[in-house]
């Protein structure tokens, strides 16, 4: 509430604004002098808001002319002849908001936040303060344009949208729609996502800047929303919402599993025929016959804010769809350009000749991760060609179960995407390793036909993590090429790579000086590799990543993870030496090896978190020793360790009680076996299976 009293005697007349909260119900004229405080806009920068707001009545001395100039509300009140000092005009409003508005009118910075925007904007509208309205809108526009951490909380966004929907000729709803579309992944993670109004959700899913990792992610979010609002809207509303999903880009297994949702099932039935056609027929001959909406539904969602692209398990994904997705939305291609486009689809080799520089918007700088795993119709080489042109800021590539592998293709990607640091080319197989056969070396002579030499020594990559699990097509020659380029690698997984030799692995270890995590289960990892880890390379001593006090430090001292399960060619004497040096180990897997107690007694580390000695000859005594030295040990796997059953286990079980997870037992079917799992916080959960 504001009462206005004129104070003559100066060029700029002062008025006194007396404020009470708009929820105040008592008679104002009767209580105006009780618990009151007086402040002035002349001293606006020194206002102590917490102290002032403790009072029931707040009186503010303010310059009349400035109020008239910047507020249509006060212009109407003070623009005439109000010479009567007893005149009072009472207006109630939220006190903190009103003080903030007045302070801003008289020069104090306006603190607009996600929580305060709506109250300030509503107050500025009511009092006709155009300057503050402009400041609020500038803040909202900036909040919407900022990439990264959202500045608006979802609850506040919903309140702004609801308020804007009640106004005429304003663009608040449009701004809210844009904000939700651009930050859809973040919004999905908020508990209040299910409270998003239907109209706002629908308009956001139709927005061209809708940013999601995949259609599967969008589908899951919409189904969660529908389940939470199943009583509020009609079936037609749900179907209209689900039609915004590009169902042709859903993994078939995922879409089939959602048939229990009637609304989605109806939408899927309309799109299944298109998916089946994609699987059966080449895309190019059908291109001219496709309508614009059909082409749109085949495009992967890519916006300027897209950071992650997940098309894994889309068996219908092919080069045409991937190339189509990075082209401009308008496909009114010139005739000659259309011919080149179609040739690129028919002949994969011509993709490099495609006129990528024709459009500047073929690159998506924000994309830093892409997953093309389990896409059998998308050749890895073609995918790499398109990815290298369109995603220059790529940092992580996951391409599991692509059977064709050529080191040259991968190196080409590394060269064109200099920020790439994580590559996963896993092949999901369970290799059966013959203990009778070992690979001595698979290096190719430099003059072997088909081989190529690497000349990028001065242009090393930033690759730090490389996963090649299960790849029988990887040989020593590939490891040599990788070690020449990927000098910064810290993690490599060669699990199940049966075509690489101990010589090849040891050569990679010797060259990759930052390597601290090695997964080499079921390979020929053996004596040479152990020696490479135990040796101290002269160049290693001067490497900037290594700090020491003028002495040679073996490579193994930096090891944090070592998995060599199933590797049979290890000399236990040398391995014992390695264990005495690898004091930084956190994760150690020795399953199915010939390791004995002496090896682990030599381990001097105290940082171990995971230990797997399944099917080895270790005893309970050495395990108790290791557990006692490593207080951070959380997981212990000892299945098949028969010596644990034959010796004193009291000391071991005393230490086991400190762990979070343990697996114990015997694989022998001819004798009684026992196993149990022990999980939970401080051992609060115990479950067993004894036979």
């Amino acid at each position: 509430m504001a009462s206005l009293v004129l104070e003559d005697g100066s060029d700029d007349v002062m008025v006194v604004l007396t404020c009470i909260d708009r929820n105040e119900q008592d008679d104002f004229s009767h209580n105006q002098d009780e618990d009151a405080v007086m402040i002035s806009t002349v001293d606006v920068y020194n206002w102590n808001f917490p102290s002032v707001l403790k009072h029931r009545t707040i009186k503010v001395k303010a310059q009349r002319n400035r109020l008239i100039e910047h507020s249509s509300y006060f212009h109407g009140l003070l623009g005439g002849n109000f010479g009567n000092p007893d005149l009072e005009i009472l207006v109630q409003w939220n006190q903190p908001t009103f003080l903030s508005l007045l302070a801003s009118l008289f020069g104090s910075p306006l603190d607009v936040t996600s929580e305060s925007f709506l109250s300030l904007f509503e107050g500025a509208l009511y009092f006709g303060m155009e300057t503050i309205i402009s400041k609020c809108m500038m803040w909202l526009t900036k909040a919407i344009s900022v990439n990264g951490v959202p500045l608006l909380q979802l609850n506040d966004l919903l309140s702004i949208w609801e308020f804007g929907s009640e106004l005429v000729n304003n663009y608040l709803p449009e701004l809210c729609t844009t904000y939700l579309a651009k930050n859809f992944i973040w919004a999905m993670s908020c508990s209040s996502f299910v409270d998003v109004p239907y109209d706002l959700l629908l308009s956001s899913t139709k927005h061209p800047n809708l940013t999601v990792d995949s259609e599967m992610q969008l589908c899951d979010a919409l189904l969660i929303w529908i389940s939470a609002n199943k009583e509020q809207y009609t079936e037609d509303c749900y179907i209209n919402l689900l039609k915004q999903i590009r169902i042709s880009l859903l993994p078939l297994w995922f879409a089939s599993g959602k048939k229990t949702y009637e609304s989605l099932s109806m939408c899927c039935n309309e799109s299944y025929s298109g998916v089946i056609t994609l699987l059966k027929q080449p895309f190019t001959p059908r291109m001219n016959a496709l309508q614009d909406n059909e082409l749109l539904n085949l495009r992967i969602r890519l916006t300027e804010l897209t950071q992650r692209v997940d098309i894994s398990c889309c068996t219908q994904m092919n080069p045409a769809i991937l190339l189509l997705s990075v082209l401009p939305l308008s496909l009114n291609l010139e005739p000659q350009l259309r011919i080149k486009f179609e040739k690129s689809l028919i002949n994969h080799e011509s993709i490099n000749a495609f006129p990528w520089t024709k459009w500047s918007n073929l690159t998506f700088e924000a994309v830093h991760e892409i997953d093309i795993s389990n896409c059998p119709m998308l050749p890895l080489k073609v995918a790499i060609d398109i990815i290298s042109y369109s995603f220059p800021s790529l940092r992580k590539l996951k391409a599991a179960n692509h059977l064709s592998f050529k080191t040259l293709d991968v190196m080409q990607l590394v060269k064109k995407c200099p920020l790439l640091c994580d590559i996963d080319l896993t092949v999901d197989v369970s290799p059966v390793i013959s203990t009778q056969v070992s690979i001595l070396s698979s290096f190719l002579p430099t003059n072997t036909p088909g081989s190529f030499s690497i000349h990028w020594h001065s242009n090393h990559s930033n690759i730090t993590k490389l996963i090649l699990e299960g790849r029988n097509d990887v040989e020593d020659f590939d490891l040599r090429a990788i070690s020449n380029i990927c000098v910064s690698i810290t993690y490599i997984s060669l699990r199940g790579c049966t075509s690489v030799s101990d010589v090849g692995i040891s050569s990679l270890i010797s060259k990759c000086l930052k390597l601290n995590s090695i997964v080499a289960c079921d390979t020929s990892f053996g004596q040479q590799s152990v020696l490479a880890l135990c040796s101290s390379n002269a160049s290693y001593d001067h490497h900037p990543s290594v700090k020491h006090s003028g002495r040679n430090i073996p490579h193994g001292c930096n090891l944090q993870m070592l998995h060599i399960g199933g590797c049979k060619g290890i000399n236990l004497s040398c391995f014992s030496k390695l264990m005495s040096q690898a004091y930084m180990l956190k994760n150690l897997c020795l399953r199915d090896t010939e390791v004995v107690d002496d090896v682990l007694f030599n381990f001097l580390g105290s940082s171990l978190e995971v230990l797997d000695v399944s099917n080895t000859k270790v005893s309970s005594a050495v395990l108790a020793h290791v557990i006692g030295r490593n207080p951070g040990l959380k997981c212990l796997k000892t299945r098949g360790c028969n010596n644990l059953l034959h010796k004193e286990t009291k000391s071991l079980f005393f230490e086991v009680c400190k762990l979070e997870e343990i697996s114990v037992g015997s694989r022998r079917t001819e004798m009684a076996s026992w196993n149990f799992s022990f999980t939970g916080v401080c051992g609060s959960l115990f479950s067993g299976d004894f036979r």
Side-chain angles (χ1 to χ4, degrees):
M1 179 178 290
S3 73
L4 312 175
V5 182
L6 305 185
E7 295 185 353
D8 296 322
S10 64
D11 293 337
D12 192 0
V13 178
M14 299 291 289
V15 298
V16 177
L17 308 178
T18 305
C19 243
I20 66 171
D21 195 273
R22 60 178 171 183
N23 296 322
E24 182 65 56
Q25 299 298 321
D26 294 339
D27 180 24
F28 165 72
S29 61
H30 180 72
N31 300 306
Q32 61 175 324
D33 293 327
E34 296 180 6
D35 191 22
V37 64
M38 176 73 75
I39 56 177
S40 172
T41 56
V42 176
D43 196 31
V44 67
Y45 293 104
N46 294 321
W47 284 5
N48 187 331
F49 275 76
S51 176
V52 170
L53 290 171
K54 291 179 180 179
H55 297 273
R56 181 168 176 267
T57 303
I58 302 173
K59 297 184 178 183
V60 186
K61 283 187 177 183
Q63 290 92 342
R64 175 189 179 214
N65 289 344
R66 193 167 183 84
L67 289 173
I68 291 174
E69 181 182 354
H70 293 285
S71 169
S72 60
Y73 175 86
F74 288 114
H75 185 275
L77 292 176
L78 305 175
N81 181 18
F82 292 92
N84 183 1
D86 297 326
L87 178 65
E88 293 187 6
I89 300 175
L90 307 180
V91 179
Q92 291 176 312
W93 202 257
N94 177 270
Q95 285 181 320
T97 301
F98 187 72
L99 283 184
S100 296
L101 295 173
L102 282 180
S104 179
L105 283 187
F106 288 90
S108 181
L110 185 66
D111 185 21
V112 184
T113 64
S114 178
E115 294 80 9
S116 67
F117 171 85
L118 187 55
S119 60
L120 291 173
F121 185 76
E122 183 182 8
L125 282 177
Y126 181 84
F127 291 105
M129 299 176 177
E130 293 296 333
T131 303
I132 296 180
I133 291 174
S134 177
K135 289 181 179 179
C136 289
M137 292 309 301
M138 287 177 61
W139 180 89
L140 183 61
T141 303
K142 181 180 179 180
I144 289 173
S145 63
V146 169
N147 302 335
V149 180
L151 298 180
L152 266 176
Q153 298 302 311
L154 186 56
N155 284 329
D156 298 321
L157 178 73
L158 302 185
S159 298
I160 294 170
W161 185 86
E162 185 177 357
F163 177 78
S165 299
E166 297 173 357
L167 302 178
V168 179
N169 296 327
N170 76 98
Y171 49 92
L172 281 180
E174 181 180 347
L175 289 176
C176 292
T177 296
T178 301
Y179 187 84
L180 181 59
K182 291 170 62 175
N183 296 283
F184 201 83
I185 297 175
W186 158 79
M188 289 172 1
S189 65
C190 299
S191 58
S192 54
F193 176 75
V194 295
D195 300 324
V196 176
Y198 170 78
D199 291 338
L200 174 58
L201 185 60
L202 180 61
S203 60
S204 298
T205 56
K206 290 182 176 181
H207 199 280
N209 286 330
L210 177 64
T211 304
V212 291
D213 293 345
S214 66
E215 295 304 304
M216 185 167 61
Q217 186 184 51
L218 174 62
C219 183
D220 275 333
L222 296 184
L223 290 178
I224 289 173
W225 185 92
I226 289 173
S227 297
N229 295 274
K230 56 185 177 182
E231 304 296 334
Q232 298 187 34
Y233 301 98
T234 65
E235 190 70 19
D236 288 341
C237 290
Y238 302 142
I239 292 176
N240 197 25
L241 191 61
L242 292 171
K243 280 184 176 180
Q244 308 313 313
I245 302 170
R246 298 177 183 179
I247 295 176
S248 297
L249 297 179
L250 287 177
L252 294 180
W253 66 266
F254 176 84
S256 299
K258 301 296 182 181
K259 284 187 176 181
T260 53
Y261 294 89
E262 184 176 352
S263 302
L264 181 61
S265 182
M266 295 175 64
C267 297
C268 287
N269 290 336
E270 298 177 8
S271 299
Y272 273 147
S273 58
V275 175
I276 298 302
T277 302
L278 283 175
L279 291 170
K280 289 183 177 180
Q281 300 179 6
F283 179 80
T284 308
R286 299 178 59 247
M287 180 179 165
N288 293 327
L290 290 175
Q291 302 296 322
D292 288 344
N293 63 327
E294 292 179 293
L295 288 173
L296 180 63
N297 288 329
L298 288 174
R299 295 171 63 94
I300 302 167
R301 294 183 197 268
L302 289 170
T303 72
E304 63 177 5
L305 298 179
T306 301
Q307 296 184 6
R308 184 173 183 270
V309 178
D310 183 2
I311 53 177
S312 60
C313 299
C314 289
T315 53
Q316 67 273 28
M317 182 58 57
N318 58 35
I321 297 177
L322 186 57
L323 183 56
L324 177 69
S325 300
V326 300
L327 290 174
L329 188 59
S330 173
L331 280 178
N332 296 322
L333 304 178
E334 302 171 3
Q336 292 184 350
L337 198 56
R338 181 181 291 272
I339 293 173
K340 291 183 179 180
F341 174 75
E342 294 178 355
K343 284 184 177 180
S344 298
L345 304 181
I346 297 173
N347 180 10
H348 298 159
E349 297 300 327
S350 63
I351 283 186
N352 283 318
F354 189 78
W356 296 96
T357 56
K358 179 71 176 179
W359 301 282
S360 59
N361 58 342
L362 286 184
T363 59
F364 299 88
E365 296 287 345
V367 175
H368 65 253
E369 179 178 346
I370 184 168
D371 189 345
I372 58 172
S373 302
N374 301 298
C375 296
M377 295 179 63
L378 183 64
L380 182 59
K381 173 177 170 46
V382 181
I384 285 178
D385 287 338
I386 298 175
I387 289 170
S388 62
Y389 282 109
S390 299
F391 309 129
S393 301
L394 192 68
R395 290 171 171 80
K396 182 175 182 179
L397 169 66
K398 189 170 184 179
N401 296 320
H402 282 267
L403 299 183
S404 60
F405 173 86
K406 291 184 179 179
T407 308
L408 183 60
D409 296 335
V410 178
M411 295 299 104
Q412 190 71 12
L413 176 64
V414 168
K415 184 177 181 179
K416 291 186 177 181
C417 298
L419 299 180
L420 189 63
C421 59
D422 188 338
I423 301 179
D424 184 353
L425 297 172
T426 300
V427 174
D428 187 14
V429 296
S430 298
V432 178
I433 310 299
S434 173
T435 58
Q436 304 300 318
V437 178
S438 62
I439 305 295
L440 296 178
S441 175
S442 58
F443 278 118
L444 292 178
T446 55
N447 60 350
T448 300
S451 66
F452 64 94
S453 58
I454 301 295
H455 301 289
W456 293 352
H457 295 285
S458 60
N459 194 17
H460 292 144
S461 76
N462 289 315
I463 300 296
T464 58
K465 185 175 183 179
L466 179 61
I467 302 177
L468 300 172
E469 289 189 11
R471 302 213 69 101
N472 292 329
D473 49 355
V474 173
E475 300 181 352
D476 286 355
F477 175 67
D478 300 302
L479 295 188
R480 185 177 67 180
I482 290 169
S483 63
N484 285 339
I485 304 302
C486 305
V487 295
S488 298
I489 195 167
T490 60
Y491 178 105
I492 190 165
S493 177
L494 302 171
R495 175 179 175 270
C497 293
T498 55
S499 297
V500 297
S501 71
D502 187 24
V503 174
I505 299 174
S506 65
S507 176
L508 181 137
I509 292 173
S510 299
K511 291 182 179 180
C512 297
L513 306 180
K514 295 183 180 181
L515 196 61
N516 59 38
S517 299
I518 302 172
V519 179
C521 297
D522 303 316
T523 66
S524 296
F525 181 99
Q527 179 74 357
Q528 295 299 318
S529 299
V530 173
L531 290 175
L533 288 172
C534 291
S535 66
S536 176
N537 190 302
S539 60
Y540 182 76
D541 297 333
H542 300 285
H543 199 277
S545 68
V546 179
K547 298 180 180 180
H548 55 86
S549 304
R551 60 185 180 86
N552 293 337
I553 296 182
H555 200 158
C557 289
N558 268 1
L559 270 183
Q560 296 181 20
M561 174 186 289
L562 180 62
H563 285 203
I564 52 174
C567 298
K568 303 297 185 180
I570 301 174
N571 180 283
L572 295 184
S573 176
C574 289
F575 192 68
S576 294
K577 180 180 178 182
L578 174 61
M579 286 293 94
S580 67
Q581 298 172 348
Y583 51 85
M584 293 181 64
L585 270 175
K586 295 181 178 180
N587 194 319
L588 178 61
C589 173
L590 301 172
R591 62 158 180 84
D592 296 299
T593 63
E594 301 299 323
V595 65
V596 293
D597 285 4
D598 290 344
V599 172
L600 288 182
F601 273 125
N602 278 336
F603 177 60
L604 303 179
S606 59
S607 304
L608 206 59
E609 298 175 0
V610 178
L611 175 63
D612 185 353
V613 289
S614 302
N615 301 310
T616 63
K617 300 176 181 179
V618 297
S619 68
S620 58
V622 73
L623 291 184
H625 167 76
V626 172
I627 297 173
R629 285 191 55 88
N630 293 267
L633 190 68
K634 300 175 182 178
C635 178
L636 175 64
K637 299 180 180 181
T638 63
R639 288 185 182 274
C641 294
N642 297 325
N643 286 355
L644 298 183
L645 301 177
H646 299 158
K647 296 184 179 181
E648 178 61 43
T649 59
K650 182 177 179 180
S651 60
L652 172 61
F653 289 139
F654 177 79
E655 299 291 349
V656 158
C657 292
K658 304 174 185 178
L659 305 180
E660 293 182 7
E661 180 181 349
I662 179 173
S663 63
V664 184
S666 172
R667 290 186 177 179
R668 294 184 178 179
T669 57
E670 67 270 18
M671 62 175 290
S673 65
W674 57 279
N675 62 78
F676 65 89
S677 62
F678 183 75
T679 60
V681 180
C682 298
S684 60
L685 178 62
F686 181 87
S687 62
D689 177 16
F690 299 90
R691 296 186 295 274

